[in-house]
Amino acid sequence: MSNTGFIFKKDLFVETPESGISRQLLGYDETMMMLKISFEKGVEGAMHQHQHTQATFVECGVFEFTIGEEKRIVKQGDACFMVSNILHGCVCLEAGTLIDVFTGV
């Protein structure tokens, strides 16, 4: 299953997987997936790990990310890169939005 071509904001479905988080699937196929995830201040992206390599771009807001044993503050324009199976998560310090890209989905 996949979607191809153009993706317009007006056509995107917004899901709310948990309180304070909204998510939009921007595109995917069997090798890659891109999501837009918005967080309210104080919401946590629980620590987790997965087989997929992940790149995250901070569209806006401020987040405290933990990747492995390292913890850093990232802001608008910053990015993170998570290799396969590394433990990672975040806390939203100022309401914001992340763009996540996963490979090998």
Side-chain angles (χ1 to χ4, degrees):
M1 191 172 233
S2 69
N3 67 13
T4 59
F6 300 98
I7 301 151
F8 296 99
K9 181 178 178 178
K10 67 178 180 60
D11 299 326
L12 293 174
F13 174 74
V14 178
E15 60 179 346
T16 306
E18 59 186 83
S19 181
I21 298 177
S22 62
R23 178 170 63 193
Q24 295 173 298
L25 179 60
L26 300 175
Y28 66 96
D29 69 9
E30 59 279 344
T31 64
M32 183 181 293
M33 177 173 65
M34 183 168 55
L35 297 167
K36 180 177 182 177
I37 308 170
S38 296
F39 292 80
E40 292 178 6
K41 181 178 180 178
V43 172
E44 291 186 36
M47 294 295 289
H48 65 285
Q49 63 190 67
H50 42 73
Q51 68 182 15
H52 315 295
T53 299
Q54 176 180 342
T56 297
F57 175 76
V58 183
E59 182 178 271
C60 62
V62 179
F63 296 82
E64 180 183 72
F65 259 85
T66 301
I67 303 171
E69 299 294 319
E70 191 171 0
K71 197 176 278 198
R72 295 279 182 102
I73 304 295
V74 292
K75 301 176 181 179
Q76 183 177 13
D78 294 337
C80 307
F81 185 82
M82 284 69 78
V83 297
S84 178
N85 292 314
I86 194 163
L87 193 62
H88 62 281
C90 68
V91 177
C92 183
L93 303 178
E94 290 180 19
T97 301
L98 303 174
I99 304 297
D100 284 343
V101 176
F102 301 87
T103 63
V105 293

